[in-house]
Amino acid sequence: MSNLIGEIVKPLLALRGLMVFPGMIINIDVGRERSMNAIKAVMKNDKQILLVTQKDPNKADIGVEDLYQVGILANVKQQLTLPNGALRVLVEGIERVKLTRVDDIKSPASFIGYGEILDCHENISPEGEALRRLLIESFEQWVLVTKKVNGDVLQSFKTEPDNGRVADLITSYLNIDQDEKQGLLETVSISKRMKSVYEILVRELEIANVSKNISQQVHEQVEQNQKEYYLREQIKAISKELGEGEDVQAEIAEYKEKMLGLALPDNVVEKINKELGRLVKMPPMTPEGAVIRTYIETLLSLPWGIMSEENFDIKKAEKVLDHDHYGLKKVKERILEFLAVRALSQTTKGPILCLVGPPGVGKTSLASSVARAIGRKFTRVSLGGVRDEAEIRGHRRTYIGALPGRIIHGMQQVGCMNPLFLLDEVDKMAADFRGDPASALLEALDPEQNNAFSDHFIEFAFDLSNVFWIVTANSTDTIPPALLDRMEVIELPSYTDEEKVKIAKLHLMPKEKAANGLADYKVSVSEKALRRIIREYTREAGVRNLERKLASIYRKIAYKIVSGELDKVQVTDKNLEKFLGPIIFLEEDSHLESAVGIVNGLAWTSVGGELLKAEVLTFKGKGNLILTGSLGDVMKESAQAGFTYIRNRSEALGIPEDFSEKLDLHIHFPEGAVPKDGPSAGVTIVTAMVSALTGRKVKGKLAMTGEITLSGRVLPIGGVKEKALAAYRYGVKTVLLPARNMQDLDELPENVKAEMRFIPVRHLDEVLELALED
């Protein structure tokens, strides 16, 4: 147990932010008046002074209450006056002193301290020796980590016999706060002091190790940065000599400037910055550098968040649609409905329309007109002949020359997120070993998925939900069911002759006159001439051939005007052959005269309806049925079913019962190079066979269509509108239709229904009674 020994009275020096321990030798700068007076006083006597630390190091004018109660008795070994008048003294700590009283002397101003020296001596014990070794070992590790103490000092610690002195000297080197040091100074018991110092030393050693690791990492990073900087500067210098470096830097600066002007998503900005970092380090002429440039340019050229203004004025839209296209009532109604819904709901999702119809009816031009009517930008992608899925989704960037798909390319070109996007000829796509492009379209045309369309090249989800999709096709037969299910199908029918005349007058003739430089000349084509062109030179569902024929007429007129033969021309039905040559489609080709074994059937094709003629001849034989004209299996089965029906009903039909043993029948459909199939020719085949077997003529200006059963029932078929328009085009006046198809006649133009007669039939007996002459 330590005791108080010896009372002393000495001048007192208050220390600011500094603490002295026994055995410690240190220089102290003294500038305050009280302190300087204390130093001068002790230098005249025994040079011993009390050193006590003040509690607040920032306080200049202090009193007795501002001092700690335990300090150090020290010897002043040396005094030096500094140029500024202050004193520098070298002191050595001797013993701990507990203050009992402090007098504040006013003249000369100073503190006089009264205290007792603390007895800190203890006998050496095994515990004390163990603590000593731990202290020295830990301090040695701390010195190796911090390198704040030289090796000689460390060696003196090992040879110091006083354990208390070892603990005090170690404390003097530790960078701990003042209160903690004062606590150790006030700890008289050497063993307790050693334990406390050891705990503090272990903590400081851990902090020192962490600090060293952090410092090492920072140092390594700085070295790496300096190395990279040095190497980059070398690359710049080399590139400058080669004339390359400035181009790369200018290119990167241009990319960054573009980025600032765009509302790019955060993940896109991060990706572009990463690619720019790769581009800087990459030699300029490498193939991968070209891929990175293409990738960055593609991302920067996409219309992230850019929307175009739309037109919600329905009357204005209707006016534009009527101006650009004649007819097409259903399509126009659907577009105007879309605009009405947008105006009321303010929804952003666009519809997905599929326009299906024969060539030349205006599907593609209608899409452009719709874009103009609703005020959207227009872009078009032709899918005819596309076989590779990458054409839709793009190529992965692992390939040299990789590019985005056609959809993303279209969005680049149009420059906004809500264009009208036309996918043309979607039924002409095909699949092979490179994938199925139709399946790749499923995501783009699905309203639930296209807000995150994935293109392999850009690697980011792109929002296509605001796009107004219009898809065109000649037929839905080759469109996969899953893709067809995602679209709203609108059928565009064939044009009637009246509609073609109107279209020619309103659109085709002004267009071709201007195209051939005749806008300012007196050139006209009469309506009768137009009708002759439509009937005798162009039998088609659309108006493409009509436009070509008009262009041919205007070219010949232009030649005559330029050569000086004429200055004004009027094309009439009388002089039409001078411009277009001989008639191509003669009336006789339609077979509208009454004849035995020849029947006018009606067929549907991808280019509209057609008149399909069936011819039957009988001759001696053994009841064989010969079928020619590139007929499909379904059509052949219809002929077999009809033949069986006739054999079963031969007596009622007035046909000898043994005809199937003595006669052969040859059924032929002209234009043998054109494949034909489907069940709708059943009534046509049966009527032709009965006519040939009975010798009764079939009425000339009559056509028919319908599927048959063995019992003679007539079943409904498809494509009624196209077939009826074909009959009208060829001059047919009466059409026999399955009774259940009569409802389909509502879609026919009024003038067609007025000029033609449609008779519903339910059984072959009715067909034969109406079709065969007496």
Side-chain angles (χ1 to χ4, degrees):
M1 185 71 181
S2 300
N3 299 313
L4 297 172
I5 58 171
E7 185 177 5
I8 58 170
V9 180
K10 300 288 181 184
L12 187 148
L13 177 61
L15 302 178
R16 288 203 294 181
L18 179 65
M19 197 163 291
V20 180
F21 286 85
M24 184 177 173
I25 300 174
I26 187 171
N27 280 312
I28 301 173
D29 289 343
V30 179
R32 288 185 289 187
E33 183 183 359
R34 289 176 183 276
S35 302
M36 294 176 70
N37 290 337
I39 295 296
K40 290 174 183 177
V42 299
M43 293 303 291
K44 293 176 182 178
N45 296 312
D46 58 359
K47 297 183 180 181
Q48 286 190 336
I49 191 169
L50 287 173
L51 302 178
V52 182
T53 303
Q54 66 184 59
K55 296 175 182 177
D56 185 358
N58 298 317
K59 194 172 182 180
D61 188 11
I62 61 172
V64 175
E65 69 279 359
D66 295 315
L67 299 173
Y68 287 113
Q69 293 302 302
V70 176
I72 289 291
L73 177 65
N75 283 330
V76 179
K77 301 179 74 68
Q78 186 179 350
Q79 174 193 330
L80 178 66
T81 304
L82 299 175
N84 61 359
L87 299 176
R88 177 170 291 171
V89 292
L90 180 68
V91 298
E92 179 183 8
I94 303 173
E95 294 288 351
R96 284 172 168 78
V97 174
K98 183 175 182 181
L99 296 177
T100 57
R101 193 177 95 200
V102 177
D103 291 339
D104 188 353
I105 308 300
K106 301 300 181 184
S107 180
S110 62
F111 286 125
I112 300 296
Y114 297 81
E116 294 178 340
I117 298 175
L118 298 172
D119 183 7
C120 300
H121 297 286
E122 286 184 3
N123 295 326
I124 298 175
S125 64
E127 182 184 2
E129 183 61 27
L131 283 170
R132 170 193 173 88
R133 292 181 184 180
L134 284 173
L135 269 177
I136 293 175
E137 183 182 340
S138 298
F139 185 67
E140 189 173 7
Q141 293 176 11
W142 183 82
V143 169
L144 289 174
V145 173
T146 61
K147 295 182 171 54
K148 291 183 178 180
V149 181
N150 60 42
D152 294 338
V153 173
L154 191 60
Q155 189 62 34
S156 68
F157 273 67
K158 294 180 179 179
T159 57
E160 173 61 52
D162 188 346
N163 289 346
R165 186 62 57 86
V166 170
D168 288 340
L169 290 176
I170 288 175
T171 303
S172 67
Y173 284 105
L174 295 177
N175 185 23
I176 58 178
D177 63 60
Q178 179 175 290
D179 289 338
E180 204 166 16
K181 277 190 176 182
Q182 181 66 31
L184 292 172
L185 183 64
E186 294 176 0
T187 304
V188 178
S189 171
I190 294 176
S191 58
K192 287 183 179 179
R193 196 189 320 154
M194 290 176 73
K195 286 181 181 178
S196 298
V197 172
Y198 178 68
E199 290 174 0
I200 294 171
L201 187 57
V202 169
R203 183 191 72 201
E204 291 298 311
L205 179 60
E206 186 176 350
I207 293 171
N209 281 322
V210 173
S211 300
K212 181 182 178 182
N213 290 336
I214 294 172
S215 175
Q216 188 173 354
Q217 289 173 7
V218 171
H219 183 69
E220 289 175 357
Q221 184 63 42
V222 170
E223 282 189 344
Q224 180 66 24
N225 291 341
Q226 288 176 339
K227 180 181 177 182
E228 288 179 2
Y229 175 78
Y230 176 70
L231 291 174
R232 284 199 189 98
E233 290 300 315
Q234 283 188 322
I235 291 171
K236 285 181 184 177
I238 295 168
S239 299
K240 190 173 181 181
E241 290 295 322
L242 294 172
E244 297 172 347
E246 294 180 1
D247 294 340
V248 174
Q249 294 300 326
E251 188 177 21
I252 290 173
E254 183 181 349
Y255 288 144
K256 288 189 175 291
E257 186 178 351
K258 283 184 180 179
M259 289 170 65
L260 294 174
L262 297 172
L264 298 174
D266 294 340
N267 56 344
V268 176
V269 172
E270 184 181 348
K271 182 66 173 179
I272 292 176
N273 287 330
K274 183 178 179 181
E275 295 298 325
L276 287 175
R278 292 179 59 203
L279 188 61
V280 170
K281 302 172 186 176
M282 197 170 291
M285 302 307 293
T286 57
E288 190 175 356
V291 173
I292 292 175
R293 286 181 176 86
T294 303
Y295 179 66
I296 294 173
E297 288 168 3
T298 299
L299 290 179
L300 292 178
S301 63
L302 286 172
W304 302 98
I306 299 174
M307 295 285 187
S308 63
E309 292 186 9
E310 295 185 61
N311 165 45
F312 293 103
D313 188 340
I314 293 180
K315 291 184 178 179
K316 181 182 176 183
E318 186 175 10
K319 187 176 179 182
V320 171
L321 290 173
D322 288 338
H323 177 271
D324 290 352
H325 287 84
Y326 179 80
L328 305 178
K329 183 179 178 183
K330 284 181 65 177
V331 185
K332 292 178 181 177
E333 283 181 357
R334 180 63 186 89
I335 301 304
L336 296 175
E337 288 169 4
F338 162 71
L339 280 180
V341 171
R342 283 296 303 272
L344 292 175
S345 67
Q346 298 298 319
T347 180
T348 58
K349 286 193 175 183
I352 303 168
L353 306 182
C354 181
L355 306 181
V356 179
V361 295
K363 298 183 296 296
T364 304
S365 61
L366 178 63
S368 176
S369 178
V370 170
R372 197 163 69 89
I374 64 177
R376 290 201 181 196
K377 293 184 178 181
F378 176 73
T379 186
R380 171 182 173 271
V381 169
S382 178
L383 300 176
V386 172
R387 293 175 173 270
D388 190 355
E389 181 205 1
E391 292 283 338
I392 306 298
R393 286 190 180 277
H395 302 83
R396 299 190 186 277
R397 287 197 296 139
T398 50
Y399 303 106
I400 301 298
L403 290 170
R406 295 196 182 193
I407 291 177
I408 292 297
H409 182 65
M411 298 301 289
Q412 282 179 275
Q413 289 182 318
V414 80
C416 68
M417 299 284 282
N418 61 335
L420 189 146
F421 206 123
L422 174 65
L423 299 175
D424 213 3
E425 308 292 354
V426 73
D427 58 325
K428 308 296 190 300
M429 290 189 298
D432 63 8
F433 64 93
R434 291 169 291 187
D436 183 5
S439 298
L441 276 179
L442 293 177
E443 183 182 7
L445 298 181
D446 190 338
E448 301 302 322
Q449 300 180 47
N450 61 9
N451 61 339
F453 175 73
S454 174
D455 185 277
H456 293 154
F457 184 79
I458 66 172
E459 300 174 356
F460 290 104
F462 193 79
D463 187 1
L464 298 175
S465 62
N466 298 314
V467 176
F468 189 142
W469 296 98
I470 292 185
V471 180
T472 69
N474 295 130
S475 169
T476 58
D477 294 344
T478 56
I479 302 176
L483 181 60
L484 191 63
D485 183 58
R486 284 163 168 78
M487 301 183 289
E488 181 180 345
V489 178
I490 299 177
E491 294 188 1
L492 277 68
S494 305
Y495 290 123
T496 64
D497 288 358
E498 293 299 324
E499 288 174 329
K500 289 180 182 179
V501 170
K502 291 283 188 182
I503 291 169
K505 286 182 177 181
L506 293 174
H507 302 286
L508 302 184
M509 291 169 64
K511 175 184 173 184
E512 291 303 327
K513 280 179 72 174
N516 289 280
L518 299 174
D520 298 328
Y521 291 89
K522 292 182 179 180
V523 176
S524 64
V525 179
S526 69
E527 185 174 324
K528 287 185 178 181
L530 272 177
R531 292 185 183 278
R532 277 198 65 193
I533 296 170
I534 292 168
R535 286 183 176 275
E536 299 176 1
Y537 291 89
T538 63
R539 282 185 181 163
E540 58 176 342
V543 291
R544 280 211 182 102
N545 282 330
L546 176 58
E547 186 175 4
R548 292 190 191 101
K549 295 301 179 184
L550 289 172
S552 177
I553 290 172
Y554 287 129
R555 283 197 302 271
K556 287 180 171 60
I557 292 173
Y559 172 76
K560 291 180 181 295
I561 291 174
V562 172
S563 62
E565 294 181 27
L566 299 167
D567 60 351
K568 62 179 182 179
V569 179
Q570 184 175 12
V571 180
T572 66
D573 60 325
K574 305 296 183 184
N575 63 0
L576 183 61
E577 292 183 24
K578 292 181 180 179
F579 295 93
L580 294 181
I583 297 171
I584 298 174
F585 301 100
L586 298 173
E587 286 295 328
E588 290 75 28
D589 288 348
S590 301
H591 294 286
L592 296 184
E593 298 85 11
S594 300
V596 175
I598 299 176
V599 181
N600 295 318
L602 296 172
W604 180 92
T605 70
S606 61
V607 296
E610 278 297 329
L611 201 67
L612 185 68
K613 296 169 280 291
E615 299 179 351
V616 177
L617 287 177
T618 61
F619 49 90
K620 291 182 179 180
K622 298 181 179 180
N624 294 323
L625 190 63
I626 303 169
L627 302 169
T628 56
S630 297
L631 307 185
D633 291 340
V634 176
M635 211 163 179
K636 290 177 180 178
E637 289 173 1
S638 293
Q640 292 286 353
F643 187 62
T644 302
Y645 168 79
I646 293 170
R647 289 180 63 184
N648 184 54
R649 298 272 296 163
S650 58
E651 184 177 350
L653 296 172
I655 301 172
E657 293 185 7
D658 59 350
F659 82 94
S660 59
E661 299 174 1
K662 296 180 179 179
L663 297 174
D664 287 348
L665 275 77
H666 186 161
I667 303 172
H668 177 70
F669 286 84
E671 300 182 25
V674 180
K676 308 168 190 72
D677 204 0
S680 63
V683 294
T684 309
I685 294 171
V686 171
T687 304
M689 285 194 290
V690 172
S691 173
L693 290 169
T694 60
R696 295 169 64 185
K697 290 183 178 181
V698 180
K699 294 175 183 177
K701 293 190 177 182
L702 178 141
M704 61 187 68
T705 182
E707 183 180 353
I708 61 167
T709 67
L710 286 175
S711 61
R713 289 189 300 118
V714 179
L715 303 182
I717 40 79
V720 171
K721 185 176 181 181
E722 285 75 12
K723 292 175 180 179
L725 290 176
Y728 176 80
R729 194 167 66 241
Y730 280 93
V732 173
K733 297 300 181 183
T734 304
V735 175
L736 305 183
L737 275 180
R740 286 166 61 184
N741 282 123
M742 294 301 288
Q743 61 183 7
D744 299 328
L745 298 177
D746 293 340
E747 299 180 8
L748 287 178
E750 291 300 325
N751 65 310
V752 174
K753 290 192 282 187
E755 294 182 30
M756 296 180 66
R757 183 184 175 204
F758 296 93
I759 302 175
V761 291
R762 292 178 174 80
H763 198 275
L764 275 172
D765 290 348
E766 299 174 48
V767 174
L768 296 175
E769 183 179 348
L770 292 166
L772 299 177
E773 293 183 354
D774 294 337

